[in-house]
Structures are given as structure tokens and as C-alpha cells.
Amino acid sequence: MWKRLPSTDALFSMKPPPAIVRKWVRSTPSTRFSGMRLSPTLKKESHDTSSLGNFAFPPPEPISYRIPDTLDTFATYKFRSTCDISSLQLHTAFSPLCHDRRSLLTAMSSGGRIGHDSPYMPRGCDMRWFTSEEACEILGRFDKVVIVGDSMLRHVMGALNILIRKDVGYGAVTDWNFNSNERRHCFCNEQFDVRSCSVQGIYKTMDVETHDPASVSCKNPINVIMEQINKSPVPTDELERLRTSISGYSVRPKVFIFGHGLWSNLNLIDSIHWLDTVMTTITNKVGSGWKGLLVTPSASGRKKPDEFIVTQGNKALMIYEEEMGNEARKRGLEHLGTWNMSIQARTYDGVHLDMRGNMVKAMMILNWLNLAR
């Protein structure tokens, strides 16, 4: 049977601590797992394993702030039953809660899943699963939340709109102008079909307020903008569009979410040049008093085209995440890695996460925004 390790950190170690050796021990014959098993034991020391119980992941703190983490916050969303999705399928809550951005980003970047497509859990400390009302309040603290990047971040924008509109059927897309074919195809998980439905993605929350104001659940004003900028060097007209989007003064701060990688084929030099160009454009327009988060790409799935396995496969993505995270920190940005979160998640096409994965990614960003004061 499994002997107790000296600390919970050892459970997540890539190799056993020096004090541990492994030997074959026989499990209790009465269990269905009887037989010979490889088990870690301590040298010259024994432990009572009866105290281990089910306490590897303690339940969330018994306070009202964490109650939504234990409920299906999608219960009242439109098409919740048809789309067959629950927030409890996406995140398993535990304690303690992360209380600062550094520990939060470390926990979210290094967290994962216990099994394929199982609920995601940060490592070491937990994040919140916010209700739509809480998400609206967080977004409303900022003059603008500006998302700058590629199609992966465009899908995060879609997931944020699902939360804002309380609609898992059409919340990520411009369903107010759909024809019958689009309404049939771009529904539930198919909203994230990058080939057929990306043209119907929502790029500004102001567009929702203009065309379908009744669908917005926020009582307070919010302004979330997606500027899709893929290429490096960045085209002049795209930089001008970015300047226009971020113009205007407000006492509330502006915050920026960046994402890049696959368009540059994970070329570090090209991505750094892209990031420097975008950051310089922002600083020249609004000054230096803004916060930013770089989100690196998620893991590749089994449908990833073979021609990209070497340059954009999981080894390349892991190296890119580490190196771009270092470059982001040198520039005063904070970094969220999503490879660990997504390696056992379903991808829509081998590149982009499906609705579930994008909802988790959006919630990770909301948790960072909640502490970005």
C-alpha cells in the first residue's frame, strides 16, 4: 500500500526526494487492488497511513465568498441543459485560496487535471470560479480591458462574453445577425469552430450593448475590447486601430492582456519584436501607468496537423512558454502559462481549446484581473 510521503510537495515532484526509496510491497489482500505494487517508503521510519484519508485537497474555506465555487454557476444560463455543461465540470475548488498575484499565477500556470478532460485545479492554492455578477464587477473596475493577440485570445474574448451574457449557446458570437444556417451551426461548443464561426466572434462588449442590450447581465458599465494583431512586423494600420481603441482619459486604469506565438511559428525573436512593438505603441499613447499580462499558448492536441508537430508541438510549446515568460517579466509584464492547464483538455482542432477549455482560461484571467489593483 502507499506509505505517506514526508510532505505534499513530494506528490508533485518529478523524482522522489533523497530520503525516499522504492520497493515492492503487498497491498491488503481484501482490496480489489491486491497484489504487488511499487510503493514509496521511508528509510528507517514508518508512518501511519490511516491519517491520510481524503485530505489531499481540503474543501474550500467555509465562507460566503467561496460558496459559488461549489455550485453550478451556469445553472441559470441560456441553453445550459442543451449544451450539457456545468461549471463544476470545469474546476474543482479546494483550499487555501491564492491571495496575491504571484502565488496565483504560479498556481494557475502549474496546475492541471487528474485525468483527461477532468476539472482543472491550480497547484498549491486555488482560484475562484466567479459568478457572472462578480465577473461584471471585476471588469467594471477598469476603464478598458484590452485583449491584444491572436485567435486563441479571441476565443477567450468569446468565453468572457458567455459569462457576461449568461448564454452558453450563443454568448460568444453575434447571434443577433445570424441566418438560419449560422444559428444551427455556431451553437454551444461549435461557437469555437475557428473556420466556420470565427467571423461571427464578438470583438467589443459595446457591440453587444448596441445590438442586443437585453442579453448583457452586467448592471455596471464594462468595456472589453479584442484587437486581433497576429503578424510580426505589425502592420501599420493595425497599430493605428489599436491607438484608436485605447484613446481617451479616465480615472479608472486600463489593463492589457497579450497573446502571441503560433503565428510566428513559436519564433522567440519574432514574438519579442511583436510584444515590444505593441507595448511601445500602448505606452506612447496612454503613458506608463498600466498593467499587462502575457498569456502563452495552450498545449497542442491529437488533431494538430503533422507538418507543425516539430515547430509547434508540445516540446516547442513548453520551451516557448518558459522563455517568453522570462522575456515578459523583463519588460514588467506578468505571465500566465496555459500549457499545463490544457495538456489533458479537449481541443477543438488540435490547436484551439473547445468551449470548456476557453471558459477555464477566461476564468484564470478574471482571477488575475481581480487582484490587478
Side-chain angles (χ1 to χ4, degrees):
M1 62 188 296
W2 286 101
K3 306 290 185 179
R4 187 171 184 177
L5 297 170
S7 72
T8 54
D9 287 340
L11 289 169
F12 300 98
S13 177
M14 294 299 292
K15 60 182 180 180
I20 294 180
V21 296
R22 295 181 182 270
K23 67 181 183 180
W24 290 103
V25 296
R26 185 173 296 278
S27 59
T28 306
S30 60
T31 70
R32 65 187 181 95
F33 298 104
S34 59
M36 300 302 292
R37 302 171 62 193
L38 187 63
S39 176
T41 59
L42 297 178
K43 291 180 178 179
K44 301 180 182 179
E45 190 175 358
S46 63
H47 287 271
D48 177 11
T49 58
S50 64
S51 61
L52 207 60
N54 296 317
F55 298 103
F57 301 105
E61 295 86 346
I63 55 176
S64 59
Y65 183 61
R66 300 221 61 190
I67 289 176
D69 299 342
T70 63
L71 305 174
D72 177 15
T73 58
F74 299 162
T76 60
Y77 281 26
K78 294 179 182 177
F79 305 107
R80 184 257 179 254
S81 296
T82 307
C83 297
D84 190 24
I85 183 172
S86 163
S87 65
L88 298 177
Q89 298 169 338
L90 310 186
H91 168 247
T92 296
F94 65 97
S95 62
L97 192 67
C98 300
H99 290 290
D100 60 82
R101 294 201 307 276
R102 183 175 181 179
S103 63
L104 174 70
L105 289 171
T106 299
M108 293 192 302
S109 298
S110 57
R113 303 165 189 269
I114 307 176
H116 181 72
D117 212 33
S118 297
Y120 164 75
M121 300 177 71
R123 178 184 175 184
C125 59
D126 199 13
M127 69 180 195
R128 284 290 320 282
W129 192 274
F130 294 113
T131 64
S132 290
E133 290 73 19
E134 290 173 314
C136 289
E137 190 276 324
I138 292 167
L139 296 172
R141 297 174 194 170
F142 304 96
D143 173 43
K144 293 175 182 176
V145 177
V146 185
I147 301 172
V148 185
D150 54 19
S151 56
M152 284 192 173
L153 282 194
R154 187 181 70 238
H155 284 177
V156 171
M157 178 67 172
L160 287 172
N161 276 289
I162 286 175
L163 294 169
I164 292 166
R165 302 176 73 191
K166 292 188 175 183
D167 184 348
V168 292
Y170 296 110
V173 289
T174 60
D175 60 311
W176 55 82
N177 62 10
F178 273 11
N179 59 38
S180 58
N181 183 58
E182 290 167 330
R183 184 163 295 278
R184 182 173 57 256
H185 182 73
C186 300
F187 180 58
C188 292
N189 196 46
E190 307 303 315
Q191 298 174 89
F192 295 89
D193 182 341
V194 72
R195 295 185 181 277
S196 300
C197 299
S198 61
V199 70
Q200 301 292 357
I202 296 171
Y203 288 80
K204 297 179 181 180
T205 52
M206 291 179 63
D207 289 343
V208 184
E209 293 171 351
T210 299
H211 298 286
D212 192 12
S215 72
V216 180
S217 66
C218 299
K219 304 303 180 185
N220 55 289
I222 61 170
N223 193 356
V224 186
I225 301 168
M226 169 68 198
E227 287 294 343
Q228 186 157 340
I229 300 178
N230 302 322
K231 300 177 182 178
S232 179
V234 182
T236 303
D237 62 316
E238 294 185 2
L239 290 176
E240 185 57 37
R241 191 182 66 219
L242 175 61
R243 292 187 192 97
T244 302
S245 292
I246 64 178
S247 62
Y249 171 78
S250 173
V251 294
R252 291 181 297 164
K254 294 179 175 65
V255 66
F256 295 84
I257 315 296
F258 304 103
H260 194 256
L262 298 184
W263 269 79
S264 70
N265 209 27
L266 300 183
N267 183 293
L268 188 66
I269 301 303
D270 285 350
S271 289
I272 290 172
H273 184 262
W274 177 93
L275 185 60
D276 286 341
T277 301
V278 172
M279 289 182 65
T280 300
T281 301
I282 292 169
T283 300
N284 288 343
K285 187 65 179 180
V286 304
S288 58
W290 55 271
K291 286 188 172 65
L293 176 70
L294 175 70
V295 182
T296 42
S298 49
S300 64
R302 63 184 181 87
K303 294 182 180 180
K304 185 85 171 182
D306 290 345
E307 60 266 32
F308 296 114
I309 292 299
V310 174
T311 58
Q312 297 182 14
N314 282 317
K315 178 180 178 180
L317 285 162
M318 293 168 71
I319 294 171
Y320 180 87
E321 178 170 291
E322 181 178 354
E323 293 182 343
M324 277 303 293
N326 291 333
E327 294 297 329
R329 284 183 284 271
K330 290 177 186 177
R331 290 158 173 75
L333 297 178
E334 297 182 16
H335 170 239
L336 172 63
T338 63
W339 190 90
N340 265 40
M341 178 276 289
S342 55
I343 185 59
Q344 293 194 87
R346 285 187 292 182
T347 58
Y348 193 89
D349 52 10
V351 177
H352 302 86
L353 294 171
D354 67 358
M355 178 165 63
R356 297 179 182 219
N358 281 297
M359 294 298 291
V360 173
K361 194 182 289 190
M363 195 59 64
M364 294 165 83
I365 292 172
L366 277 171
N367 272 264
W368 179 80
L369 288 171
N370 183 47
L371 298 178
R373 298 184 179 91

